[in-house]
Amino acid sequence: MAGTLTACGGTGSGGVTLKLVAADYGDSADNSSQKYWDKLAARYEKDHPDTKVDVEVYSWNDVDAKVKKMVDAGQAPDMAQIGAYADYAADGDLYPAGDLLNVPTQADFLSQLADAGKVASTQYGMPFASSTRLLFYNKKLFKDAGITPPTTWAELAADAKALKADGVKIPYALPLGSEEAQAETMIWMLSGGDGYTDDVGSYTIDSKQNVATFDFLKNDLVGKGLTGPTAPAKLNRADAFAAFAKGEVGMLNGHPTLMQMAAKKGIDYGTVPLPGPSGRAKSTMGVADWMMAFKQNGHRKEVGDFLNFVYSEKNVLEFSREYDLLPVTNSASEAMSEAGEDKKLWPFLRSLTNSEIYPVGKTSWASVSADIKDQIGTAVAPNNSPGAVLGRIQNQAAAAEAAE
């Protein structure tokens, strides 16, 4: 799959070759995203003989860096389907979505995802895949402990205490390790009534609500030994998911991929909306991955035509179903909400309507996210003040914002 991209766009016969670099959502060669894209490209090329679509798929560990290296070398692909777009948009490298997509296609994006794809009120990032988070729980462990799924933080702490008393290794898994600490952090901040930014986009990391949220985590969960033997700062999401699939975890926040992992290991699980301080959380975290189109090769018309095909209801549904992800368009979401084969995704689909996305339109987000990954786990460590840690990250975020 790996290869050297060139800026050359000719097919040798007067046509155009479009270069797309994409992320791999599969977990094996059998379901690699390369297979999805190869089939999609073949269908497109059959009806567009003057256009060839060359797709190269890389793992999530490598794909963002691969694209950056290509762009820095002056060899940008025509399209990239990766995790972030804002830096490229700010540098003037990308076509606006409105210059590529026809009106029905662009209008079909879910509004909160389309808004998250904007820089200075112009959409550059086109959402490609999305997911939300729900609270997963192990039904057998809950039954053995005589408890029911929580709807409040107090109930969550009480359930975790009961699970611990029943010998569960990790009553609540709190992955604040470097892999995806920014996700677990945002989930909890939203459940506490705030988030990373306010209504006008300013960072609010050390807000009163966020400090209260981390006080709860430190004092009522971590401090009482309810998050397992591994310190949250050392626990990564992948390890927490693997432990849940082994039956070692009572509860944790998870996305749809965890359903497959748990089912393969025979874990009988349930999902419920995230609890908040006094009832179910008003919103949860949504995540979107992004498609973007680079201007360097000048293939605006051809790229736009291909992307209109990519975002058809049929193709969006096919990709979402293959990888247990949520559609990014209204048409595909409506179809999924009515299809019995997608029933297991319905709870996630419902939660998407009131989800909030990372502040990906801010070019400072990359550095702020890195700071969160590096430091947030210390907020719940013994002898540390959550407010002080959040305050330090807030100061770094404000400085990164000022430097934009």
Side-chain angles (χ1 to χ4, degrees):
M1 293 185 290
T4 300
L5 295 188
T6 69
C8 176
T11 64
S13 58
V16 167
T17 295
L18 299 179
K19 304 288 188 176
L20 166 63
V21 178
D24 195 352
Y25 290 81
D27 56 12
S28 68
D30 290 338
N31 69 345
S32 167
S33 296
Q34 187 74 51
K35 290 188 174 182
Y36 169 82
W37 283 112
D38 287 347
K39 289 190 296 183
L40 189 74
R43 291 204 304 267
Y44 182 78
E45 291 169 358
K46 183 178 180 181
D47 294 327
H48 301 79
D50 289 336
T51 303
K52 176 177 172 54
V53 183
D54 180 12
V55 185
E56 296 183 346
V57 171
Y58 297 92
S59 76
W60 274 110
N61 292 331
D62 301 323
V63 69
D64 288 276
K66 288 284 186 182
V67 172
K68 184 178 186 304
K69 184 177 181 180
M70 294 168 190
V71 174
D72 289 347
Q75 297 177 335
D78 292 288
M79 295 163 284
Q81 186 271 298
I82 52 178
Y85 67 87
D87 285 350
Y88 298 122
D91 289 341
D93 295 335
L94 303 180
Y95 285 115
D99 288 354
L100 301 164
L101 305 176
N102 60 39
V103 172
T105 299
Q106 189 174 9
D108 199 24
F109 289 129
L110 294 170
S111 59
Q112 72 269 38
L113 300 182
D115 288 343
K118 294 178 179 178
V119 172
S121 301
T122 298
Q123 184 181 358
Y124 294 94
M126 292 162 278
F128 182 75
S130 68
S131 68
T132 58
R133 302 296 194 264
L134 294 175
L135 183 71
F136 281 69
Y137 66 97
N138 184 309
K139 288 185 176 180
K140 181 181 184 301
L141 297 181
F142 266 59
K143 182 178 179 180
D144 291 346
I147 55 178
T148 56
T151 60
T152 67
W153 286 357
E155 291 175 2
L156 186 147
D159 284 350
K161 183 178 180 180
L163 289 165
K164 182 181 181 181
D166 206 43
V168 175
K169 182 178 180 180
I170 308 173
Y172 177 83
L174 183 65
L176 294 178
S178 60
E179 178 194 3
E180 206 187 33
Q182 83 284 3
E184 186 75 10
T185 297
M186 185 170 176
I187 293 167
W188 276 99
M189 285 181 171
L190 289 173
S191 71
D194 203 353
Y196 284 133
T197 59
D198 59 20
D199 292 340
V200 296
S202 299
Y203 287 110
T204 57
I205 294 169
D206 64 345
S207 70
K208 181 179 179 181
Q209 296 99 314
N210 289 340
V211 171
T213 295
F214 271 81
D215 282 339
F216 167 79
L217 290 174
K218 179 185 178 184
N219 298 328
D220 292 68
L221 292 182
V222 180
K224 294 184 179 178
L226 302 179
T227 54
T230 303
K234 301 294 184 181
L235 181 64
N236 283 325
R237 183 202 63 181
D239 296 328
F241 277 20
F244 185 83
K246 292 178 183 177
E248 298 175 345
V249 176
M251 299 174 279
L252 81 169
N253 294 321
H255 54 66
T257 302
L258 184 55
M259 297 189 300
Q260 285 187 358
M261 292 180 62
K264 286 179 180 178
K265 297 292 186 179
I267 299 298
D268 187 13
Y269 66 89
T271 60
V272 293
L274 304 175
S278 57
R280 288 178 175 173
K282 295 179 180 179
S283 64
T284 186
M285 186 186 76
V287 175
D289 301 323
W290 302 96
M291 178 72 75
M292 62 212 69
F294 290 88
K295 296 189 295 187
Q296 180 181 320
N297 300 328
H299 296 147
R300 181 186 66 80
K301 181 180 182 300
E302 293 84 358
V303 168
D305 192 66
F306 177 65
L307 290 178
N308 282 318
F309 173 76
V310 167
Y311 283 107
S312 68
E313 179 183 321
K314 174 183 181 295
N315 290 330
V316 172
L317 276 174
E318 181 181 341
F319 184 85
S320 301
R321 286 168 172 162
E322 175 66 27
Y323 298 107
D324 278 343
L325 293 165
L326 303 181
V328 296
T329 61
N330 288 294
S331 59
S333 295
E334 290 168 6
M336 182 174 279
S337 68
E338 296 171 358
E341 66 181 288
D342 300 311
K343 190 173 182 178
K344 62 183 179 180
L345 286 170
W346 288 354
F348 294 92
L349 198 60
R350 286 193 294 267
S351 69
L352 186 61
T353 59
N354 67 337
S355 64
E356 294 191 24
I357 311 293
Y358 294 133
V360 290
K362 299 167 76 68
T363 56
S364 61
W365 172 242
S367 64
V368 173
S369 177
D371 288 337
I372 293 166
K373 290 180 181 182
D374 185 52
Q375 301 177 53
I376 197 65
T378 65
V380 296
N383 304 318
N384 280 354
S385 162
V389 174
L390 292 176
R392 184 166 62 249
I393 298 173
Q394 170 67 25
N395 291 337
Q396 292 167 335
E401 182 82 348
E404 285 189 1

